[in-house]
Coordinates of all heavy atoms in Angstrom, one line a residue:
M25 N 137.0 -7.4 210.2 CA 137.8 -7.8 209.1 C 137.8 -9.3 208.9 O 137.7 -9.7 207.7 CB 139.3 -7.3 209.5 CG 140.2 -7.5 208.4 SD 139.8 -6.3 207.0 CE 141.3 -6.5 206.1
G26 N 137.8 -10.1 209.9 CA 137.8 -11.5 209.8 C 136.4 -12.0 209.2 O 136.4 -12.9 208.5
K27 N 135.4 -11.3 209.6 CA 134.0 -11.6 209.2 C 133.9 -11.4 207.6 O 133.4 -12.2 206.9 CB 133.0 -10.7 209.9 CG 131.6 -11.0 209.6 CD 130.7 -10.1 210.5 CE 129.3 -10.3 210.3 NZ 128.5 -9.4 211.1
R28 N 134.5 -10.3 207.2 CA 134.5 -10.0 205.7 C 135.3 -11.1 204.9 O 134.9 -11.5 203.9 CB 135.1 -8.6 205.5 CG 135.0 -8.2 204.1 CD 135.5 -6.8 203.9 NE 135.5 -6.4 202.5 CZ 135.9 -5.3 202.1 NH1 136.4 -4.4 202.9 NH2 135.9 -5.0 200.8
K29 N 136.4 -11.5 205.5 CA 137.2 -12.5 204.8 C 136.5 -13.8 204.7 O 136.6 -14.5 203.7 CB 138.6 -12.6 205.5 CG 139.6 -11.5 205.3 CD 140.9 -11.8 205.9 CE 141.9 -10.7 205.7 NZ 143.2 -11.0 206.4
L30 N 135.8 -14.1 205.8 CA 135.0 -15.4 205.8 C 134.0 -15.4 204.8 O 133.8 -16.3 204.0 CB 134.4 -15.6 207.2 CG 133.5 -16.8 207.3 CD1 134.2 -18.1 207.1 CD2 132.7 -16.8 208.6
Y31 N 133.2 -14.3 204.7 CA 132.1 -14.2 203.7 C 132.7 -14.2 202.3 O 132.1 -14.8 201.4 CB 131.2 -13.0 204.0 CG 130.4 -13.1 205.2 CD1 130.1 -12.0 205.9 CD2 129.9 -14.3 205.6 CE1 129.3 -12.1 207.1 CE2 129.1 -14.4 206.8 CZ 128.8 -13.3 207.5 OH 128.0 -13.4 208.6
T32 N 133.8 -13.5 202.1 CA 134.4 -13.5 200.8 C 134.9 -14.9 200.4 O 134.7 -15.3 199.2 CB 135.6 -12.5 200.8 OG1 135.2 -11.2 201.1 CG2 136.3 -12.4 199.4
G33 N 135.5 -15.6 201.3 CA 135.9 -17.0 201.0 C 134.8 -17.9 200.7 O 134.9 -18.7 199.8
I34 N 133.7 -17.7 201.4 CA 132.5 -18.6 201.2 C 131.9 -18.3 199.8 O 131.6 -19.2 199.0 CB 131.4 -18.4 202.2 CG1 131.9 -19.0 203.6 CG2 130.1 -19.0 201.8 CD1 131.0 -18.6 204.7
A35 N 131.9 -17.0 199.4 CA 131.3 -16.6 198.1 C 132.2 -17.1 197.0 O 131.8 -17.7 196.0 CB 131.2 -15.1 198.0
I36 N 133.5 -17.0 197.1 CA 134.5 -17.4 196.1 C 134.4 -19.0 196.0 O 134.4 -19.5 194.9 CB 135.9 -17.0 196.4 CG1 136.0 -15.4 196.2 CG2 136.9 -17.7 195.5 CD1 137.3 -14.8 196.7
G37 N 134.3 -19.6 197.1 CA 134.2 -21.1 197.1 C 133.0 -21.6 196.4 O 133.0 -22.6 195.7
A38 N 131.9 -20.9 196.7 CA 130.6 -21.3 196.0 C 130.7 -21.0 194.5 O 130.2 -21.9 193.7 CB 129.5 -20.5 196.6
A39 N 131.3 -19.9 194.1 CA 131.4 -19.6 192.7 C 132.3 -20.6 192.0 O 132.0 -21.2 190.9 CB 132.0 -18.2 192.5
V40 N 133.4 -21.0 192.6 CA 134.3 -21.9 192.0 C 133.7 -23.3 192.0 O 133.7 -24.0 191.0 CB 135.7 -22.0 192.8 CG1 136.5 -23.2 192.4 CG2 136.4 -20.7 192.6
G41 N 133.0 -23.7 193.0 CA 132.3 -25.0 193.1 C 131.2 -25.0 192.0 O 131.0 -26.1 191.3
G42 N 130.5 -23.9 191.8 CA 129.4 -23.9 190.8 C 130.0 -24.0 189.4 O 129.5 -24.7 188.5
L43 N 131.2 -23.4 189.2 CA 131.8 -23.5 187.8 C 132.3 -24.9 187.6 O 132.2 -25.4 186.5 CB 132.9 -22.4 187.7 CG 132.5 -21.0 187.7 CD1 133.7 -20.1 187.7 CD2 131.7 -20.7 186.4
I44 N 132.9 -25.5 188.6 CA 133.4 -26.9 188.4 C 132.2 -27.8 188.2 O 132.3 -28.7 187.3 CB 134.2 -27.3 189.7 CG1 135.5 -26.5 189.7 CG2 134.5 -28.8 189.7 CD1 136.3 -26.7 191.0
A45 N 131.1 -27.6 188.8 CA 129.9 -28.4 188.6 C 129.4 -28.3 187.2 O 128.9 -29.3 186.6 CB 128.8 -28.1 189.6
L46 N 129.6 -27.2 186.6 CA 129.1 -27.0 185.2 C 130.0 -27.7 184.2 O 129.6 -27.7 183.0 CB 129.1 -25.5 184.9 CG 128.0 -24.7 185.6 CD1 128.0 -23.2 185.3 CD2 126.6 -25.2 185.3
L47 N 131.0 -28.3 184.6 CA 131.8 -29.2 183.7 C 131.0 -30.4 183.3 O 131.3 -31.0 182.3 CB 133.2 -29.5 184.3 CG 134.1 -28.4 184.5 CD1 135.4 -28.9 185.3 CD2 134.5 -27.7 183.2
D48 N 130.1 -30.8 184.2 CA 129.2 -32.0 183.9 C 128.1 -31.6 183.0 O 127.4 -30.5 183.1 CB 128.7 -32.5 185.2 CG 127.8 -33.7 185.0 OD1 128.3 -34.7 184.4 OD2 126.7 -33.7 185.5
R49 N 127.9 -32.4 181.9 CA 126.8 -32.1 180.9 C 125.4 -32.0 181.6 O 124.6 -31.1 181.2 CB 126.9 -33.1 179.8 CG 125.8 -32.8 178.7 CD 126.0 -33.7 177.6 NE 127.3 -33.4 177.0 CZ 127.9 -34.2 176.1 NH1 127.4 -35.3 175.7 NH2 129.1 -33.8 175.6
D50 N 125.1 -32.9 182.5 CA 123.8 -32.9 183.1 C 123.6 -31.7 183.9 O 122.5 -31.1 184.0 CB 123.6 -34.2 183.9 CG 123.5 -35.5 183.1 OD1 123.1 -35.4 181.9 OD2 123.8 -36.5 183.7
A51 N 124.6 -31.3 184.6 CA 124.5 -30.1 185.5 C 124.3 -28.8 184.6 O 123.5 -28.0 184.9 CB 125.8 -29.9 186.3
R52 N 125.0 -28.8 183.5 CA 124.8 -27.6 182.6 C 123.4 -27.6 182.0 O 122.8 -26.6 181.9 CB 125.8 -27.7 181.4 CG 127.2 -27.2 181.7 CD 128.0 -27.0 180.4 NE 128.0 -28.1 179.5 CZ 128.8 -29.1 179.5 NH1 129.8 -29.2 180.4 NH2 128.7 -30.1 178.6
S53 N 122.9 -28.8 181.6 CA 121.6 -28.9 181.1 C 120.5 -28.4 182.1 O 119.6 -27.7 181.9 CB 121.3 -30.3 180.6 OG 120.0 -30.4 180.2
Y54 N 120.7 -28.9 183.4 CA 119.8 -28.5 184.5 C 119.9 -27.0 184.7 O 118.8 -26.3 184.9 CB 120.2 -29.3 185.7 CG 119.4 -28.9 186.9 CD1 118.1 -29.4 187.1 CD2 119.8 -28.1 187.9 CE1 117.3 -29.1 188.2 CE2 119.1 -27.8 189.0 CZ 117.8 -28.3 189.2 OH 117.1 -28.0 190.2
A55 N 121.1 -26.4 184.8 CA 121.2 -25.0 185.0 C 120.6 -24.2 183.9 O 119.9 -23.2 184.2 CB 122.7 -24.6 185.2
K56 N 120.8 -24.6 182.7 CA 120.2 -23.9 181.5 C 118.7 -23.9 181.6 O 118.1 -22.9 181.4 CB 120.7 -24.6 180.2 CG 120.3 -23.9 179.0 CD 120.8 -24.6 177.8 CE 120.3 -24.0 176.5 NZ 120.8 -24.7 175.3
Q57 N 118.1 -25.1 182.0 CA 116.7 -25.2 182.1 C 116.1 -24.3 183.2 O 115.1 -23.6 183.0 CB 116.3 -26.6 182.3 CG 114.8 -26.8 182.4 CD 114.1 -26.5 181.1 OE1 114.5 -26.8 180.0 NE2 113.0 -25.8 181.1
K58 N 116.8 -24.2 184.3 CA 116.4 -23.4 185.4 C 116.5 -21.9 185.1 O 115.6 -21.1 185.4 CB 117.2 -23.7 186.7 CG 116.8 -25.0 187.3 CD 115.4 -25.1 187.7 CE 114.9 -26.4 188.2 NZ 113.5 -26.4 188.6
F59 N 117.6 -21.5 184.4 CA 117.7 -20.1 184.0 C 116.6 -19.8 183.0 O 116.0 -18.7 183.0 CB 119.1 -19.8 183.4 CG 120.1 -19.6 184.4 CD1 121.3 -20.4 184.4 CD2 120.0 -18.7 185.4 CE1 122.3 -20.3 185.3 CE2 121.0 -18.5 186.3 CZ 122.2 -19.3 186.2
H60 N 116.3 -20.7 182.1 CA 115.2 -20.5 181.1 C 113.9 -20.3 181.8 O 113.1 -19.4 181.5 CB 115.2 -21.6 180.1 CG 114.1 -21.5 179.1 ND1 114.2 -20.5 178.1 CD2 113.0 -22.2 178.9 CE1 113.1 -20.6 177.3 NE2 112.3 -21.6 177.8
D61 N 113.6 -21.2 182.8 CA 112.4 -21.1 183.6 C 112.3 -19.8 184.3 O 111.2 -19.1 184.4 CB 112.3 -22.3 184.6 CG 112.1 -23.6 183.9 OD1 111.8 -23.7 182.7 OD2 112.3 -24.6 184.6
A62 N 113.4 -19.4 184.9 CA 113.4 -18.1 185.7 C 113.1 -16.9 184.7 O 112.4 -16.0 185.1 CB 114.7 -17.9 186.4
K63 N 113.7 -17.0 183.6 CA 113.5 -15.9 182.6 C 112.1 -15.8 182.2 O 111.5 -14.7 182.1 CB 114.4 -16.1 181.4 CG 114.3 -15.0 180.3 CD 115.1 -15.4 179.1 CE 114.1 -15.8 178.0 NZ 114.7 -16.2 176.8
D64 N 111.5 -17.0 181.9 CA 110.1 -17.0 181.5 C 109.2 -16.5 182.6 O 108.2 -15.7 182.3 CB 109.7 -18.4 181.1 CG 110.3 -18.9 179.8 OD1 110.8 -18.1 179.1 OD2 110.2 -20.1 179.6
A65 N 109.4 -16.9 183.8 CA 108.6 -16.4 184.9 C 108.8 -14.9 185.1 O 107.8 -14.2 185.4 CB 109.0 -17.1 186.2
T66 N 110.0 -14.4 185.0 CA 110.2 -13.0 185.2 C 109.5 -12.2 184.1 O 108.9 -11.2 184.4 CB 111.7 -12.7 185.1 OG1 112.4 -13.4 186.1 CG2 112.0 -11.2 185.3
M67 N 109.6 -12.7 182.8 CA 108.9 -12.0 181.7 C 107.4 -12.0 181.9 O 106.7 -11.0 181.7 CB 109.3 -12.6 180.4 CG 110.7 -12.3 180.0 SD 111.2 -13.1 178.5 CE 110.2 -12.3 177.3
Y68 N 106.8 -13.1 182.4 CA 105.4 -13.3 182.6 C 104.9 -12.3 183.7 O 104.0 -11.5 183.5 CB 105.0 -14.7 183.1 CG 103.6 -14.9 183.3 CD1 102.7 -15.0 182.3 CD2 103.1 -14.8 184.6 CE1 101.3 -15.2 182.5 CE2 101.7 -15.0 184.9 CZ 100.9 -15.1 183.8 OH 99.5 -15.3 184.1
Y69 N 105.7 -12.2 184.8 CA 105.2 -11.3 185.9 C 105.5 -9.9 185.6 O 104.8 -9.0 186.1 CB 105.9 -11.7 187.2 CG 105.3 -13.0 187.8 CD1 106.1 -14.1 188.1 CD2 103.9 -13.1 188.0 CE1 105.5 -15.3 188.6 CE2 103.4 -14.2 188.5 CZ 104.2 -15.3 188.8 OH 103.6 -16.5 189.3
A70 N 106.4 -9.6 184.7 CA 106.6 -8.2 184.2 C 105.4 -7.8 183.4 O 105.1 -6.6 183.4 CB 107.9 -8.1 183.4
K71 N 104.8 -8.7 182.6 CA 103.6 -8.4 181.9 C 102.4 -8.4 182.7 O 101.4 -7.8 182.3 CB 103.5 -9.3 180.7 CG 104.6 -9.2 179.6 CD 104.5 -10.2 178.5 CE 105.6 -10.0 177.5 NZ 105.6 -11.0 176.5
H72 N 102.4 -9.2 183.8 CA 101.2 -9.3 184.6 C 101.5 -9.1 186.1 O 101.5 -10.0 186.9 CB 100.6 -10.8 184.5 CG 100.3 -11.2 183.1 ND1 101.2 -11.8 182.3 CD2 99.2 -11.0 182.3 CE1 100.7 -12.1 181.1 NE2 99.4 -11.5 181.1
P73 N 101.9 -7.8 186.4 CA 102.3 -7.6 187.8 C 101.2 -7.8 188.9 O 101.6 -8.2 190.0 CB 102.8 -6.1 187.8 CG 102.1 -5.5 186.6 CD 101.9 -6.6 185.6
S74 N 100.0 -7.6 188.5 CA 98.9 -7.7 189.5 C 98.8 -9.2 189.9 O 98.5 -9.5 191.1 CB 97.6 -7.2 189.0 OG 97.2 -7.9 187.8
E75 N 99.0 -10.1 189.0 CA 99.0 -11.5 189.3 C 100.1 -11.9 190.2 O 100.0 -12.7 191.1 CB 99.0 -12.4 188.0 CG 98.7 -13.8 188.2 CD 98.5 -14.6 187.0 OE1 98.1 -14.0 185.9 OE2 98.8 -15.8 187.0
G76 N 101.3 -11.3 189.9 CA 102.4 -11.6 190.8 C 102.2 -11.1 192.2 O 102.5 -11.8 193.2
V77 N 101.6 -10.0 192.4 CA 101.3 -9.4 193.7 C 100.3 -10.3 194.4 O 100.4 -10.7 195.6 CB 100.8 -8.0 193.6 CG1 100.3 -7.5 194.9 CG2 101.9 -7.1 193.1
Q78 N 99.3 -10.8 193.6 CA 98.3 -11.7 194.2 C 98.9 -13.0 194.6 O 98.5 -13.5 195.7 CB 97.1 -11.9 193.2 CG 96.0 -12.7 193.8 CD 95.3 -12.1 194.9 OE1 95.1 -10.8 194.9 NE2 94.9 -12.8 195.9
N79 N 99.8 -13.6 193.8 CA 100.5 -14.8 194.2 C 101.3 -14.6 195.5 O 101.3 -15.5 196.3 CB 101.3 -15.3 193.0 CG 100.5 -15.9 191.9 OD1 99.4 -16.2 192.0 ND2 101.2 -16.0 190.8
I80 N 102.0 -13.5 195.6 CA 102.8 -13.3 196.8 C 101.8 -13.1 198.0 O 102.1 -13.7 199.1 CB 103.6 -12.0 196.6 CG1 104.7 -12.2 195.6 CG2 104.2 -11.5 197.9 CD1 105.5 -11.0 195.2
K81 N 100.7 -12.4 197.8 CA 99.8 -12.3 198.9 C 99.2 -13.6 199.3 O 99.1 -13.9 200.5 CB 98.6 -11.4 198.5 CG 97.7 -11.0 199.5 CD 96.6 -10.1 199.0 CE 95.6 -9.8 200.1 NZ 94.5 -8.9 199.6
D82 N 98.9 -14.5 198.4 CA 98.3 -15.8 198.7 C 99.4 -16.7 199.4 O 99.0 -17.4 200.4 CB 97.9 -16.5 197.4 CG 96.7 -15.9 196.8 OD1 96.0 -15.1 197.4 OD2 96.4 -16.2 195.6
K83 N 100.6 -16.6 199.0 CA 101.7 -17.4 199.6 C 101.9 -16.9 201.1 O 102.2 -17.7 202.0 CB 103.0 -17.3 198.8 CG 103.0 -18.1 197.5 CD 102.8 -19.5 197.7 CE 102.8 -20.3 196.4 NZ 102.5 -21.7 196.5
Y84 N 101.8 -15.6 201.2 CA 102.0 -15.0 202.6 C 100.9 -15.5 203.5 O 101.1 -15.9 204.7 CB 102.0 -13.5 202.5 CG 102.1 -12.9 203.9 CD1 103.3 -12.8 204.6 CD2 100.9 -12.3 204.5 CE1 103.3 -12.3 205.9 CE2 101.0 -11.8 205.7 CZ 102.1 -11.7 206.4 OH 102.2 -11.2 207.7
E85 N 99.6 -15.5 203.0 CA 98.5 -15.9 203.8 C 98.7 -17.4 204.2 O 98.4 -17.8 205.3 CB 97.2 -15.7 203.0 CG 96.8 -14.3 202.9 CD 96.4 -13.7 204.3 OE1 95.9 -14.4 205.1 OE2 96.7 -12.5 204.4
Q86 N 99.1 -18.2 203.2 CA 99.3 -19.6 203.4 C 100.4 -19.9 204.5 O 100.2 -20.7 205.4 CB 99.7 -20.3 202.1 CG 99.9 -21.8 202.3 CD 100.4 -22.4 200.9 OE1 100.7 -21.7 200.0 NE2 100.3 -23.7 200.9
F87 N 101.5 -19.1 204.4 CA 102.6 -19.2 205.4 C 102.1 -18.8 206.8 O 102.4 -19.4 207.8 CB 103.8 -18.3 205.0 CG 104.8 -18.2 206.1 CD1 105.7 -19.2 206.3 CD2 104.8 -17.0 206.8 CE1 106.6 -19.0 207.3 CE2 105.8 -16.9 207.8 CZ 106.7 -17.9 208.1
N88 N 101.3 -17.7 206.8 CA 100.8 -17.2 208.1 C 99.9 -18.2 208.7 O 100.0 -18.4 210.0 CB 100.1 -15.9 207.8 CG 99.9 -15.1 209.1 OD1 100.6 -15.3 210.1 ND2 99.0 -14.1 209.1
T89 N 99.0 -18.8 208.0 CA 98.1 -19.8 208.5 C 98.9 -21.0 209.0 O 98.6 -21.5 210.1 CB 97.1 -20.3 207.4 OG1 96.4 -19.2 207.0 CG2 96.2 -21.3 207.9
T90 N 99.9 -21.5 208.3 CA 100.7 -22.6 208.7 C 101.5 -22.3 210.0 O 101.5 -23.1 210.9 CB 101.6 -23.1 207.6 OG1 100.9 -23.3 206.4 CG2 102.4 -24.3 207.9
F91 N 102.1 -21.1 210.0 CA 102.8 -20.7 211.2 C 102.0 -20.6 212.4 O 102.3 -21.1 213.5 CB 103.5 -19.4 210.9 CG 104.4 -18.9 212.0 CD1 105.6 -19.4 212.2 CD2 103.9 -17.9 212.9 CE1 106.4 -19.0 213.2 CE2 104.7 -17.5 213.9 CZ 106.0 -18.0 214.1
T92 N 100.8 -20.0 212.3 CA 99.9 -19.9 213.4 C 99.4 -21.2 213.9 O 99.4 -21.4 215.1 CB 98.7 -19.0 213.0 OG1 99.1 -17.8 212.5 CG2 97.7 -18.8 214.1
S93 N 99.1 -22.1 213.0 CA 98.7 -23.5 213.4 C 99.9 -24.2 214.1 O 99.6 -24.8 215.2 CB 98.3 -24.3 212.2 OG 98.1 -25.6 212.5
G94 N 101.1 -24.1 213.6 CA 102.2 -24.7 214.3 C 102.5 -24.1 215.7 O 102.8 -24.8 216.7
A95 N 102.3 -22.8 215.8 CA 102.5 -22.1 217.1 C 101.4 -22.5 218.1 O 101.7 -22.8 219.3 CB 102.4 -20.6 216.9
D96 N 100.2 -22.7 217.6 CA 99.1 -23.1 218.5 C 99.4 -24.6 219.0 O 99.2 -24.9 220.2 CB 97.8 -23.1 217.8 CG 97.2 -21.7 217.6 OD1 97.7 -20.8 218.3 OD2 96.3 -21.5 216.7
N97 N 99.8 -25.4 218.1 CA 100.2 -26.8 218.5 C 101.3 -26.8 219.5 O 101.3 -27.6 220.5 CB 100.6 -27.6 217.2 CG 99.4 -27.9 216.3 OD1 98.2 -27.8 216.8 ND2 99.7 -28.2 215.1
A98 N 102.3 -26.0 219.3 CA 103.4 -25.9 220.3 C 102.9 -25.4 221.6 O 103.3 -26.0 222.7 CB 104.5 -25.0 219.7
I99 N 102.1 -24.4 221.6 CA 101.5 -23.9 222.9 C 100.7 -25.0 223.6 O 100.8 -25.2 224.8 CB 100.7 -22.6 222.7 CG1 101.6 -21.5 222.3 CG2 99.9 -22.3 223.9 CD1 100.9 -20.3 221.8
N100 N 99.9 -25.7 222.9 CA 99.1 -26.8 223.5 C 100.0 -27.9 224.1 O 99.7 -28.4 225.1 CB 98.2 -27.4 222.4 CG 97.0 -26.5 222.1 OD1 96.6 -25.6 222.9 ND2 96.4 -26.7 220.9
A101 N 101.1 -28.2 223.3 CA 102.0 -29.2 223.9 C 102.7 -28.7 225.1 O 102.8 -29.5 226.1 CB 103.0 -29.6 222.8
L102 N 103.1 -27.5 225.2 CA 103.7 -26.9 226.4 C 102.7 -26.9 227.6 O 103.1 -27.2 228.7 CB 104.2 -25.5 226.1 CG 105.5 -25.5 225.2 CD1 105.8 -24.0 224.9 CD2 106.6 -26.1 225.9
E103 N 101.4 -26.6 227.3 CA 100.4 -26.6 228.3 C 100.2 -28.0 228.9 O 100.1 -28.2 230.1 CB 99.1 -26.0 227.8 CG 99.1 -24.5 227.6 CD 97.9 -24.0 227.0 OE1 97.0 -24.8 226.5 OE2 97.8 -22.7 226.9
Q104 N 100.2 -29.0 228.0 CA 100.1 -30.4 228.5 C 101.3 -30.8 229.3 O 101.1 -31.5 230.4 CB 99.9 -31.3 227.3 CG 98.6 -31.2 226.6 CD 98.5 -32.1 225.4 OE1 99.5 -32.8 225.0 NE2 97.4 -32.0 224.7
V105 N 102.5 -30.4 228.9 CA 103.7 -30.7 229.7 C 103.6 -30.0 231.1 O 103.9 -30.6 232.1 CB 104.9 -30.3 229.0 CG1 106.2 -30.3 229.9 CG2 105.1 -31.2 227.8
E106 N 103.1 -28.8 231.1 CA 103.0 -28.0 232.3 C 102.0 -28.7 233.3 O 102.2 -28.8 234.5 CB 102.6 -26.6 232.0 CG 102.5 -25.7 233.2 CD 102.1 -24.3 232.9 OE1 101.4 -24.1 231.9 OE2 102.4 -23.4 233.7
E107 N 100.9 -29.1 232.7 CA 99.8 -29.8 233.5 C 100.4 -31.1 234.1 O 100.1 -31.4 235.3 CB 98.6 -30.1 232.7 CG 97.8 -28.8 232.4 CD 96.7 -29.1 231.4 OE1 96.4 -30.3 231.1 OE2 96.0 -28.1 230.9
T108 N 101.1 -31.9 233.3 CA 101.7 -33.1 233.8 C 102.7 -32.9 234.9 O 102.7 -33.6 235.9 CB 102.4 -33.9 232.6 OG1 101.4 -34.0 231.6 CG2 102.9 -35.2 233.1
I109 N 103.5 -31.8 234.7 CA 104.5 -31.5 235.8 C 103.8 -31.1 237.1 O 104.2 -31.5 238.2 CB 105.5 -30.4 235.3 CG1 106.4 -31.0 234.2 CG2 106.3 -29.9 236.4 CD1 107.2 -30.0 233.5
E110 N 102.7 -30.3 236.9 CA 102.0 -29.9 238.1 C 101.4 -31.1 238.8 O 101.3 -31.1 240.1 CB 100.9 -28.9 237.7 CG 101.4 -27.5 237.4 CD 100.4 -26.5 237.0 OE1 99.2 -26.9 237.1 OE2 100.7 -25.4 236.6
K111 N 100.8 -32.0 238.1 CA 100.2 -33.2 238.7 C 101.3 -34.0 239.5 O 101.0 -34.4 240.7 CB 99.7 -34.2 237.6 CG 98.4 -33.7 237.0 CD 97.9 -34.7 236.0 CE 96.7 -34.1 235.3 NZ 96.2 -35.1 234.2
F112 N 102.5 -34.1 239.0 CA 103.5 -34.9 239.7 C 104.1 -34.1 240.9 O 104.4 -34.6 241.9 CB 104.6 -35.3 238.8 CG 104.3 -36.5 237.9 CD1 104.0 -36.4 236.6 CD2 104.2 -37.7 238.5 CE1 103.7 -37.5 235.8 CE2 103.8 -38.9 237.7 CZ 103.6 -38.7 236.4
S113 N 104.1 -32.8 240.7 CA 104.7 -32.0 241.8 C 103.8 -31.8 243.0 O 104.2 -31.6 244.1 CB 105.2 -30.6 241.3 OG 104.1 -29.9 240.8
K114 N 102.5 -31.9 242.7 CA 101.5 -31.8 243.8 C 101.3 -33.0 244.7 O 100.9 -33.0 245.8 CB 100.1 -31.4 243.2 CG 100.1 -30.0 242.7 CD 98.7 -29.6 242.2 CE 98.7 -28.1 241.8 NZ 97.4 -27.8 241.3
K115 N 101.7 -34.2 244.1 CA 101.6 -35.4 244.9 C 102.7 -35.4 246.0 O 103.8 -35.0 245.8 CB 101.9 -36.6 244.0 CG 100.8 -36.9 243.1 CD 101.1 -38.2 242.3 CE 100.0 -38.6 241.4 NZ 100.3 -39.8 240.6
E116 N 102.3 -35.8 247.2 CA 103.2 -35.8 248.3 C 104.0 -37.1 248.2 O 103.4 -38.2 248.0 CB 102.5 -35.7 249.6 CG 101.8 -34.4 249.8 CD 101.1 -34.3 251.2 OE1 101.5 -35.0 252.1 OE2 100.2 -33.4 251.3
P117 N 105.3 -37.0 248.4 CA 106.1 -38.2 248.4 C 105.7 -39.2 249.5 O 105.3 -38.7 250.6 CB 107.5 -37.7 248.5 CG 107.4 -36.4 249.1 CD 106.1 -35.8 248.7
K118 N 105.7 -40.5 249.3 CA 105.5 -41.4 250.3 C 106.6 -41.4 251.3 O 107.7 -41.3 251.0 CB 105.4 -42.8 249.7 CG 104.2 -43.0 248.8 CD 104.1 -44.4 248.4 CE 102.9 -44.7 247.4 NZ 102.8 -46.0 247.0
K119 N 106.1 -41.4 252.6 CA 107.1 -41.4 253.7 C 107.5 -42.8 254.1 O 106.5 -43.7 254.2 CB 106.6 -40.7 254.9 CG 106.4 -39.2 254.6 CD 106.0 -38.4 255.8 CE 105.8 -37.0 255.6 NZ 105.3 -36.2 256.7
L120 N 108.7 -43.1 254.2 CA 109.1 -44.4 254.6 C 108.9 -44.6 256.1 O 109.0 -43.6 256.9 CB 110.6 -44.7 254.3 CG 111.0 -44.6 252.8 CD1 112.5 -44.7 252.6 CD2 110.3 -45.8 252.1
D121 N 108.6 -45.8 256.5 CA 108.4 -46.0 258.0 C 109.7 -45.8 258.7 O 110.7 -46.3 258.2 CB 107.9 -47.4 258.2 CG 106.4 -47.6 257.7 OD1 105.7 -46.6 257.7 OD2 106.0 -48.7 257.4
D122 N 109.6 -45.1 259.8 CA 110.8 -44.9 260.6 C 111.1 -46.1 261.4 O 110.3 -46.5 262.3 CB 110.6 -43.7 261.5 CG 111.9 -43.2 262.1 OD1 113.0 -43.8 261.8 OD2 111.8 -42.3 263.0
P123 N 112.2 -46.8 261.3 CA 112.5 -48.1 262.0 C 112.7 -47.8 263.5 O 112.6 -48.7 264.3 CB 113.7 -48.6 261.4 CG 114.4 -47.5 260.6 CD 113.3 -46.5 260.3
S124 N 112.9 -46.6 263.9 CA 113.2 -46.3 265.3 C 111.9 -46.3 266.1 O 111.9 -46.2 267.3 CB 114.0 -45.0 265.5 OG 113.1 -43.9 265.0
D125 N 110.7 -46.3 265.4 CA 109.4 -46.2 266.1 C 109.2 -47.5 266.8 O 109.1 -48.5 266.7 CB 108.3 -45.8 265.2 CG 108.3 -44.3 264.9 OD1 108.9 -43.6 265.6 OD2 107.7 -44.0 263.8

């Protein structure tokens, strides 16, 4: 119940904030332009669905390549950290001379 109230409050707050922002002329102009751009893009892809699918496929491939590259870099960094830790843990600590000798 509390979760639902939280989400409802966030949605209402966002809607009210958006409406208040539209009182500004520049904000209205920007919103109008973005809605116009979205309408044009929607109409274009409705007429050319195969191009839309191809664009989505290309973006997915690009994301996949970037993600894989980032994961490889992270794995390499972890391996280097692991090797460094192993080097330090294999060294025997220096023993202090025992003064009682």
